[in-house]
Amino acid sequence: MEEKKELIIKKLKEQDLRITKQRKLIIDAILESEYNCCKEIYCQVCAVDSSIGIATVYRMIRVLEDIGAIDRKNMYRVSFHENCNKDGR
C-alpha cells in the first residue's frame, strides 16, 4: 500500500500539484477500502478531518482519474501500477 501511495504522490508532484494533508488523507482512505461513490469517501475522510469539504474530495477523485491512478469502473479502487499509464496499459 505504501508503494502505491508513493507512486501516486510522485505522479501528483509531476503534475505540479501540492501534496497536502487533505490529499494524503483521501489517498489513504481509497487505498484502505473500496468505495462505491465519492460521498462514501467523503464520509470516511470527514470523520478524520472535518475541515475537508465534499468539493475537495470530488476534485481529488478527478485528479486521481486524470493521472490514471483510479478508475470509476473499478469502484474507486487504486488501479495504478508503476508500469501503467493513463490508458491502463
Side-chain angles (χ1 to χ4, degrees):
M1 181 172 97
E2 203 55 40
E3 296 158 357
K4 287 183 179 183
K5 181 178 178 180
E6 289 175 21
L7 188 56
I8 291 168
I9 289 172
K10 177 184 172 193
K11 290 294 183 179
L12 293 173
K13 286 180 180 178
E14 288 173 3
Q15 299 292 318
D16 293 325
L17 295 169
R18 291 182 343 183
I19 308 306
T20 64
K21 180 183 130 197
Q22 292 178 334
R23 285 184 174 157
K24 285 182 181 179
L25 186 58
I26 294 167
I27 292 168
D28 288 340
I30 295 169
L31 286 169
E32 290 172 5
S33 295
E34 295 179 16
Y35 298 96
N36 292 314
C37 66
C38 287
K39 193 165 187 175
E40 288 179 358
I41 298 167
Y42 167 72
C43 290
Q44 178 67 34
V45 297
C46 195
V48 177
D49 182 352
S50 61
S51 70
I52 296 177
I54 190 124
T56 301
V57 175
Y58 275 101
R59 283 191 302 268
M60 185 60 180
I61 294 299
R62 183 66 184 159
V63 167
L64 292 172
E65 286 178 320
D66 288 347
I67 66 169
I70 64 171
D71 183 359
R72 286 185 197 221
K73 295 176 202 163
N74 266 342
M75 300 177 68
Y76 298 109
R77 287 181 295 222
V78 172
S79 59
F80 199 65
H81 303 285
E82 189 170 349
N83 298 326
C84 194
N85 66 21
K86 184 179 174 187
D87 298 325
R89 292 183 236 155

